[in-house]
Amino acid sequence: MSFFSQRVSRIQPSPTISITAKAKKLKQEGKKIIDFSAGEPDFDTPDNIKEAAIKAIQDGQTKYTPVNGTKELIEAIIKKFKRENDLVFESDEITVGCGGKQVIYNALVATIEKGDEIIIPAPFWVSYPDMALLVEGHPIVLDCTIENNFKINPQDLENKITNRTKWVILNSPSNPTGAFYSELELQNLAKILLKHPHVWVMCDDLYEHIIFDDLKFKNILQVDNKLKSRTFVVNGVSKAYAMTGWRLGYGAGPQELIKEISKIQSQSTTHTSSISQAAAIEALNNSDEFINKNKKIFQERRDLIFSKLKDCSSLQVFLPQGSFYVYVCCNELMGKKKDDGTEIKNDIDLSDYFLDEGVAVVPGEAFGCSNFFRISFATSNEDIIEGCDKIISVCKKLK
Ligand code: PLP
């Protein structure tokens, strides 16, 4: 009998984190790698945020804080929701954790019984299914096709709902596709959800501020407030303010859910760092300029990748409306052979081949949608040009 739990044997290490680590290792060994695998902005955290953190250290804000976050941070989060989303929350409806990741995980620990179902639209962020498995839940994958712009067909959603469904996860803009839901699309999903009052909605808004083409962000709660008693809105500072390493995410939802999450956190991590909390207040209150500047940079990079790859006949590129990822269909390359005669059987083989040739991408299988790969454009224009040229030339070599 294994010393280790059944629970942990059901899951895998995060594939995106391990590919980034592999690319880093190759770089350290002196190999030139263009890294298109990163899941974080390449910008540094802005100075005003760093200064707020330094001041917090100097002022002695170095002790335990309340489990759900300091009063000042909770106020800043409430103000953010009002200002940017026109959503009203009370302080007992807010939780703060070590990243959006922990906030989502806590919510699942708080609600999932063995065999409960969590509907996860695919392509999905890699951690949702594994988190569901860790808490002994049952991930129910809802395939979203490229023909439907990687978005949920409302009827397909309804077909997946059973009496064991606890959560539906919505992630717009999406990692890995950059798909973005319009107000009308969200209304159509809300109509289905309103018919099933036992189903809760986990609304992952981590990429809220990275959207293009002058789109205006709305989440499902903004579109239909009748879902408020069963929606958990998750957000964080990682992507919007280039603060991945600070580990701070937050969630807003019904007070009874927050109370249970708080219990779990009080017996596990207690809270995220007091210094990160001080930094997050500054980030939430004073970042408009930073956000607008980055949005423009990311949009230019998206357009650059699109213009480079659109002429590669063996690849089909899906134009993202948000996030910093491009999802690329490589169906036509399956079954082709490398110079040494080995066959490319799937997107994992293709990604390994790209890595051998000096470009790191993440295979689509990791996101529950095969014969695709994900390119992250959280990198410089020079790298984008060089990396895309490399991809095009190595694809051409496959026979
Ligand atoms: N949700 C999505 C869709 C993500 O892509 C990520 C990170 O990659 C997270 C949540 C979690 O981010 P963090 O834990 O850094 O806040």
Side-chain angles (χ1 to χ4, degrees):
M1 219 174 76
S2 169
F3 179 70
F4 300 101
S5 67
Q6 284 274 323
R7 197 179 313 115
V8 78
S9 72
R10 280 186 220 117
I11 65 161
Q12 301 295 327
S14 164
T16 41
I17 291 177
S18 55
I19 285 160
T20 307
K22 204 164 148 188
K24 257 193 195 139
K25 187 165 170 281
L26 287 170
K27 273 195 238 169
Q28 276 160 4
E29 288 166 7
K31 201 162 177 223
K32 177 152 175 44
I33 302 288
I34 307 273
D35 192 358
F36 283 160
S37 72
E40 58 186 343
D42 50 319
F43 316 121
D44 197 4
T45 304
D47 284 342
N48 61 319
I49 298 175
K50 289 184 187 171
E51 279 151 22
I54 293 165
K55 185 165 184 313
I57 296 173
Q58 285 166 343
D59 290 352
Q61 291 179 39
T62 52
K63 311 283 191 217
Y64 289 133
T65 75
V67 170
N68 287 342
T70 61
K71 185 168 161 287
E72 294 75 17
L73 175 56
I74 289 178
E75 273 166 16
I77 292 169
I78 290 173
K79 271 205 252 158
K80 176 261 178 265
F81 276 120
K82 180 72 196 122
R83 185 179 68 242
E84 295 180 349
N85 309 101
D86 200 20
L87 292 173
V88 177
F89 290 104
E90 302 297 327
S91 54
D92 58 2
E93 293 174 312
I94 305 290
T95 176
V96 173
C98 303
K101 198 177 240 178
Q102 193 197 15
V103 172
I104 296 169
Y105 184 66
N106 282 345
L108 295 181
V109 175
T111 53
I112 296 299
E113 294 287 359
K114 192 171 182 167
D116 280 348
E117 295 174 358
I118 299 135
I119 297 179
I120 302 174
F124 46 68
W125 177 46
V126 293
S127 294
Y128 300 139
D130 285 89
M131 284 192 201
L133 291 170
L134 255 184
V135 298
E136 304 195 80
H138 194 180
I140 303 292
V141 174
L142 169 54
D143 290 316
C144 303
T145 59
I146 192 165
E147 292 74 28
N148 205 33
N149 295 319
F150 292 118
K151 289 187 257 194
I152 302 169
N153 173 330
Q155 193 51 53
D156 291 347
L157 171 63
E158 178 138 55
N159 294 344
K160 290 281 183 196
I161 294 175
T162 71
N163 56 6
R164 289 303 303 264
T165 308
K166 274 254 164 95
W167 290 99
V168 173
I169 299 183
L170 298 181
N171 173 219
S172 168
S174 139
N175 173 9
T177 64
F180 174 88
Y181 284 80
S182 70
E183 203 168 332
L184 180 64
E185 286 161 342
L186 291 172
Q187 270 163 7
N188 289 336
L189 295 181
K191 269 186 211 153
I192 303 288
L193 290 162
L194 286 168
K195 287 200 268 173
H196 301 276
H198 67 290
V199 178
W200 284 50
V201 189
M202 181 95 69
C203 186
D204 179 341
D205 292 354
L206 260 282
Y207 295 90
E208 165 179 16
H209 286 301
I210 307 174
I211 51 175
F212 312 129
D213 310 320
D214 294 324
L215 290 168
K216 299 275 172 280
F217 176 86
K218 280 206 174 165
N219 63 32
I220 197 158
L221 199 50
Q222 290 173 261
V223 166
D224 201 325
N225 210 260
K226 290 196 282 304
L227 289 167
K228 182 136 191 248
S229 62
R230 52 192 172 101
T231 298
F232 187 46
V233 182
V234 180
N235 212 322
V237 299
S238 285
K239 316 287 173 175
Y241 318 111
M243 292 177 71
T244 44
W246 298 76
R247 306 311 301 131
L248 191 138
Y250 54 92
Q255 187 248 333
E256 72 265 27
L257 173 66
I258 302 299
K259 202 167 130 221
E260 300 305 328
I261 288 178
S262 177
K263 246 199 274 176
I264 293 160
Q265 195 160 278
S266 75
Q267 298 292 13
S268 52
T269 53
T270 311
H271 59 74
T272 194
S273 147
S274 57
I275 312 304
S276 297
Q277 294 188 49
I281 297 172
E282 177 65 17
L284 290 166
N285 287 340
N286 292 309
S287 296
D288 286 355
E289 211 180 300
F290 183 73
I291 285 170
N292 288 329
K293 189 179 85 197
N294 293 344
K295 227 189 243 186
K296 257 187 82 198
I297 296 173
F298 279 131
Q299 180 165 333
E300 281 163 16
R301 291 175 180 177
R302 174 200 66 166
D303 294 343
L304 179 61
I305 296 205
F306 198 71
S307 72
K308 296 286 300 174
L309 292 185
K310 78 174 184 339
D311 296 330
C312 182
S313 59
S314 52
L315 300 175
Q316 189 189 350
V317 187
F318 176 76
L319 186 75
Q321 291 187 301
S323 80
F324 39 76
Y325 308 110
V326 179
Y327 211 51
V328 184
C329 178
C330 52
N331 218 358
E332 287 198 22
L333 294 173
M334 298 303 106
K336 298 228 165 171
K337 295 210 168 73
K338 296 196 276 186
D339 286 347
D340 65 3
T342 41
E343 187 184 336
I344 302 288
K345 291 197 213 70
N346 49 44
D347 51 48
I348 300 176
D349 289 351
L350 187 70
S351 305
D352 279 342
Y353 169 56
F354 285 167
L355 194 55
D356 289 341
E357 299 287 335
V359 186
V361 300
V362 184
E365 196 182 273
F367 309 102
C369 178
S370 293
N371 296 354
F372 284 84
F373 60 88
R374 188 192 77 177
I375 291 179
S376 158
F377 50 91
T379 189
S380 67
N381 283 357
E382 295 70 37
D383 274 4
I384 289 173
I385 294 170
E386 197 179 336
C388 288
D389 285 343
K390 192 93 211 177
I391 287 178
I392 295 168
S393 79
V394 300
C395 284
K396 277 196 187 135
K397 283 204 294 182
L398 292 171
K399 293 285 176 280

